[in-house]
């Protein structure tokens, strides 16, 4: 009978994948993917992932956050500070109580790119409890201008 109950429970499980294009051009595409799972319990959960592809001289490169910035600059501290201020203003609990540090925020790899800036996507449990939901922060190019890689994919928006 326990097996039958488990089988009935599993019928309520669900999974959903989706994707949204944040930017598309001949040489750059930025996509936010999302996965949602419900496997019983109090609630389901989701997480996001960014896919940022840049075509340069016939080669396609998946961009990591560090690829956007010039080496040897203070981009991580500037980015971490900006994200901390924005998330504190929105009362992200684990940023406010110090559990999530500026350095953690500057290493966050779920981002998308658009003419507005670099947008960071924080799923539930990334910077606060599930009840707070997800958080999104756009870091405008005016903040990043001095640190961007001079021949990188984002320089088009700061010339």
């Amino acid at each position: 009978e326990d097996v039958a109950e488990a089988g009935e429970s599993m019928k309520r499980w669900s999974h959903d994948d989706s994707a949204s294009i944040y930017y598309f051009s001949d040489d750059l595409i930025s996509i936010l993917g999302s996965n949602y799972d419900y496997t019983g319990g109090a609630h389901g959960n989701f997480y996001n992932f960014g896919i940022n592809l840049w075509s340069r001289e016939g080669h396609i490169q998946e961009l990591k956050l560090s690829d956007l910035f010039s080496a040897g600059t203070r981009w991580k501290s500037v980015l971490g500070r900006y994200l901390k201020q924005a998330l504190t203003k929105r009362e992200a609990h684990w940023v406010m109580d110090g559990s999530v540090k500026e350095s953690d925020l500057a290493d966050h790899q779920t981002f998308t790119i658009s003419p507005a800036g670099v947008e960071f996507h924080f799923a539930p449990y990334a910077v606060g409890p599930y009840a707070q939901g997800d958080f999104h922060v756009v870091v405008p190019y005016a903040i990043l201008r001095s640190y961007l890689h001079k021949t990188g994919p984002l320089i088009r928006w700061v010339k």
Side-chain angles (χ1 to χ4, degrees):
E1 197 166 320
D2 289 337
V3 172
E5 286 177 25
E8 283 300 312
S9 167
M10 290 175 65
K11 287 182 183 176
R12 293 185 295 273
W13 289 14
S14 64
H15 177 83
D16 184 53
D17 294 320
S18 62
S20 299
I21 297 173
Y22 273 64
Y23 182 77
F24 179 81
S25 71
D26 289 344
D27 69 333
L28 182 63
I29 185 167
S30 186
I31 300 168
L32 181 67
S34 184
N35 299 111
Y36 172 83
D37 288 305
Y38 177 76
T39 57
H43 56 76
N45 202 5
F46 70 91
Y47 69 93
N48 299 316
F49 57 94
I51 300 171
N52 300 284
L53 303 173
W54 183 36
S55 175
R56 182 178 180 191
E57 299 171 1
H59 294 69
I60 296 176
Q61 173 185 356
E62 183 168 0
L63 296 169
K64 299 183 303 288
L65 189 58
S66 60
D67 295 330
L68 306 178
F69 301 97
S70 294
T73 62
R74 304 179 318 111
W75 68 269
K76 275 192 168 188
S77 62
V78 170
L79 180 62
R81 187 175 323 113
Y82 186 90
L83 290 170
K84 180 181 178 186
Q85 289 171 350
L87 291 166
T88 299
K89 186 184 288 187
R90 295 180 187 150
E91 299 182 358
H93 184 74
W94 297 338
V95 173
M96 293 177 69
D97 75 5
S99 300
V100 176
K101 310 270 187 249
E102 284 182 15
S103 59
D104 301 324
L105 297 170
D107 282 333
H108 192 72
Q109 293 296 315
T110 304
F111 66 94
T112 52
I113 299 166
S114 77
V118 179
E119 184 169 354
F120 290 83
H121 306 269
F122 300 93
Y125 296 118
V127 294
Y130 183 84
Q132 284 196 294
D134 58 337
F135 291 85
H136 305 271
V137 177
V138 176
V139 183
Y141 293 117
I143 301 296
L144 305 174
R145 174 177 290 139
S146 303
Y147 310 99
L148 293 177
H149 195 285
K150 302 304 180 228
T151 59
L154 307 185
I155 205 68
R156 70 188 79 200
W157 291 303
V158 295
K159 287 184 176 180

